Amino acid sequence: MGDWIYRNRLTILLTCVAAYYLLQVSNGLWVEDFWDHSAAVSALMRDLVNPRHAQLAIDQPHVFFTPYSLMVAFVARLLGLSSIEALALFGLINGVLLVWGLRRYLRAMGTEDEQGVLFYGILCILFLWGADRWDYSGFFHVGILKFVLPYPSAFATGLALLGLALNRSAHVPGLNLQRIAVLAILAIVMLTHPVAFVFMVVGLFADALTRSRRRAEAVLMAVILVLAAVAISLLWPYYPFIRLSLGAANVYHATNGAMYVNLLGATWPVIFLLPFTGRVLADPRNRPMIVTSILLLGLYATAWIVQKYSYGRVISYAMLLAQLLVAQRFAQWDRIIFAKSAIRRFGPPLIVLALGVFWMGAIHGTVTRALTAANSLVQGRLILHRMTFGHLEFLRDKIEPGSVVLANLDSSWIIPTFGAKVVALLHPHAFIEDLDRRGQDLAAFFSTDPPAGFRERVVERYGVHYLLLSKTRDAAWREISNQFTSAPGAAVVYEDRESVLIKLVEPGGSPIRK
């Protein structure tokens, strides 16, 4: 039994991670940025060629119309899935891509005991963090994994690792099929998740600088690949990459200032263990990984100095590489500890038993949910829960696509998934100049004492077709409902214990705002 567990420990770990993710999917517990991505996919599902802005009724591009969102939308239409279901499916696909990318990356580096390092690498990526770890996309610790796997960052990270592996194994000088694949990956990653693109570019140059032969040629090839990828990205029709690069993306810097908060509290386990990796750090095969990490840390510090905090997100990739280095040391210790057959026979079952006791609550919840899903399948009932969005699903049948719905900020995050437009968004978005004013107008609209006539002016300013009021979150919902249902032509079209949907005007008459 112990030998079997030891030989199959990687498969067992990946199965547990997949089960953990599927539990999230079955509960429908989607939050925050998921709804931005879902809105983009939903808009592309309605029009793959020329979509309108995914969330607002404005004639501006949407930065989440990426190659990834386009691919998810295409698959969703092909399989008849909703944007939510398609993203959930791609979360599983992205997880496979990440593991494949890590394996190919380690193999390209010539890592000894590839399977053992991959096993400990995944464990380190999931668990080797301090209590103050960052809950942002591009990080893959266990506390956020179930939320970020459907995000473009997971897809782009897996592709970037695969691209670095392909480039490392391209021994033939000049342009060949492998480097053409690297070029395609560079362009896709650049348009999908710029931070992953920075990681990949730094990795390409680190690989070139650490080559023992043809170093100048490798650097030149890296320059050509990056410039060619940038040129290709300029042709992307869904949003203007050049505008985004030359200033439109500045709106994201402030919200990424958290990358410089509690740095030690997030990274101390890796910092503590790195001194024990001397043999690993001295291995010439790890030089590209080490140089990449150093360059990323330099970029991280530079971004703080110049206050371009979005680039501080590269700390996620510096940590990932450091965790892989620590994992190599763990794999070396593993081979020493489990060299004796007696330890290999009895050690793994004891470890599994200890972990089972430690995570008894999580295991119980997973098993209970799995049995519930199985019973629902047998009984022909709905398997998937809709924990965070079920209360708004009625919008699919009650509103016309493209209608403008005025609702609180929390609901406005979810509503565009069901085909409508909203008035304001909670997070910064590129290419939207009046986003702050929209947020202020929405806050004043739902206040209990707005200026006389203010609510009517907001409705007119943004061409609102529907009001969606929350009985539990909007303190003035009854007052607002009475105010607008008394207007000629207005009517309540849906009401339940949570929500009231009021139709103000027929959609189709309001002009699109520039």
Side-chain angles (χ1 to χ4, degrees):
M1 181 65 176
D3 282 331
W4 182 88
I5 293 174
Y6 184 78
R7 290 195 309 271
N8 296 281
R9 63 194 189 279
L10 178 59
T11 302
I12 294 170
L13 173 62
L14 294 176
T15 301
C16 291
V17 172
Y20 178 67
Y21 174 73
L22 290 174
L23 175 65
Q24 149 74 9
V25 171
S26 69
N27 282 329
L29 185 61
W30 303 115
V31 297
E32 300 193 0
D33 290 357
F34 177 89
W35 298 113
D36 289 325
H37 302 301
S38 179
V41 172
S42 181
L44 287 166
M45 288 173 63
R46 292 189 296 275
D47 189 345
L48 284 170
V49 178
N50 188 31
R52 290 269 179 90
H53 193 278
Q55 293 159 293
L56 304 178
I58 58 175
D59 189 18
Q60 291 292 339
H62 197 285
V63 74
F64 285 178
F65 288 156
T66 66
Y68 174 72
S69 297
L70 190 66
M71 179 176 61
V72 176
F74 177 80
V75 171
R77 289 180 57 169
L78 187 66
L79 300 181
L81 303 175
S82 70
S83 60
I84 300 171
E85 293 165 339
L87 282 168
L89 170 63
F90 268 85
L92 199 59
I93 295 172
N94 291 342
V96 173
L97 180 61
L98 276 168
V99 174
W100 185 36
L102 282 168
R103 181 185 287 276
R104 290 295 303 268
Y105 181 73
L106 292 171
R107 182 176 300 172
M109 294 295 165
T111 302
E112 186 181 0
D113 187 13
E114 175 191 312
Q115 179 165 322
V117 174
L118 183 60
F119 171 75
Y120 285 106
I122 293 172
L123 282 177
C124 289
I125 291 168
L126 290 174
F127 297 104
L128 199 59
W129 295 90
D132 297 321
R133 60 200 180 186
W134 295 284
D135 292 338
Y136 278 67
S137 64
F139 295 85
F140 303 104
H141 60 75
V142 69
I144 198 173
L145 182 72
K146 59 187 178 182
F147 298 115
V148 301
L149 277 181
Y151 288 8
S153 58
F155 172 76
T157 300
L159 270 188
L161 288 166
L162 183 61
L164 291 173
L166 286 171
N167 181 74
R168 179 72 175 173
S169 59
H171 300 296
V172 180
L175 198 62
N176 51 48
L177 286 177
Q178 282 179 296
R179 289 205 171 92
I180 291 173
V182 173
L183 172 59
I185 290 173
L186 264 174
I188 292 170
V189 171
M190 178 186 293
L191 292 165
T192 299
H193 192 65
V195 181
F197 171 74
V198 172
F199 161 61
M200 188 173 175
V201 170
V202 171
L204 287 175
F205 281 100
D207 176 68
L209 292 171
T210 54
R211 287 182 182 256
S212 57
R213 294 183 299 172
R214 296 195 180 97
R215 185 176 301 170
E217 180 182 307
V219 171
L220 178 60
M221 181 55 64
V223 171
I224 292 172
L225 288 173
V226 172
L227 292 178
V230 171
I232 293 171
S233 299
L234 296 179
L235 303 176
W236 184 246
Y238 291 92
Y239 67 82
F241 180 79
I242 190 67
R243 277 180 58 194
L244 186 70
S245 304
L246 296 180
N250 289 341
V251 297
Y252 299 113
H253 290 313
T255 57
N256 285 301
M259 295 297 102
Y260 298 92
V261 177
N262 296 323
L263 175 62
L264 187 60
T267 62
W268 71 262
V270 171
I271 295 173
F272 173 77
L273 287 168
L274 275 176
F276 297 97
T277 62
R279 289 176 55 188
V280 172
L281 297 178
D283 190 335
R285 291 173 293 188
N286 287 324
R287 286 174 186 168
M289 202 181 301
I290 295 168
V291 172
T292 302
S293 300
I294 293 171
L295 292 175
L296 288 173
L297 290 174
L299 180 58
Y300 174 79
T302 302
W304 177 72
I305 293 170
V306 300
Q307 298 183 349
K308 301 292 185 181
Y309 301 127
S310 295
Y311 295 105
R313 297 278 286 272
V314 298
I315 190 65
S316 64
Y317 296 103
M319 283 291 294
L320 185 146
L321 295 179
Q323 287 159 342
L324 290 179
L325 293 170
V326 171
Q328 291 186 44
R329 190 57 174 148
F330 283 164
Q332 292 172 353
W333 289 335
D334 176 287
R335 292 195 296 274
I336 296 172
I337 294 171
F338 290 97
K340 296 182 178 180
S341 60
I343 296 178
R344 194 164 59 248
R345 188 178 303 116
F346 298 106
L350 290 175
I351 293 172
V352 171
L353 180 62
L355 291 175
V357 172
F358 184 76
W359 276 307
M360 182 65 71
I363 293 172
H364 179 266
T366 301
V367 172
T368 301
R369 182 67 188 115
L371 292 174
T372 302
N375 183 62
S376 297
L377 185 63
V378 171
Q379 299 294 328
R381 298 196 302 264
L382 188 67
I383 298 176
L384 302 180
H385 288 179
R386 290 160 169 79
M387 187 175 295
T388 52
F389 61 93
H391 64 291
L392 295 176
E393 280 206 302
F394 69 87
L395 293 172
R396 293 187 193 275
D397 303 319
K398 297 298 182 180
I399 59 173
E400 300 80 7
S403 303
V404 179
V405 178
L406 191 154
N408 61 49
L409 276 176
D410 289 334
S411 296
S412 293
W413 226 345
I414 303 174
I415 288 169
T417 287
F418 303 119
K421 309 299 181 185
V422 292
V423 170
L425 302 172
L426 188 58
H427 282 181
H429 276 259
F431 311 122
I432 305 174
E433 296 180 356
D434 65 341
L435 193 60
D436 288 342
R437 180 185 179 183
R438 286 171 172 269
Q440 294 165 5
D441 285 348
L442 199 65
F445 182 94
F446 283 102
S447 67
T448 55
D449 189 26
F454 178 81
R455 288 176 177 146
E456 290 83 353
R457 290 195 296 274
V458 169
V459 166
E460 182 179 0
R461 179 178 300 149
Y462 298 108
V464 175
H465 304 113
Y466 291 90
L467 292 179
L468 178 62
L469 307 175
S470 171
K471 295 179 181 179
T472 57
R473 298 188 180 187
D474 302 331
W477 76 268
R478 195 179 301 277
E479 174 192 337
I480 297 171
S481 178
N482 293 335
Q483 178 179 348
F484 284 95
T485 53
S486 63
V492 174
V493 295
Y494 180 85
E495 184 172 2
D496 59 20
R497 290 186 300 176
E498 164 65 23
S499 306
V500 179
L501 181 66
I502 303 171
K503 189 172 187 176
L504 302 181
V505 296
E506 289 292 336
S510 299
I512 296 295
R513 299 179 66 253
K514 296 288 185 181

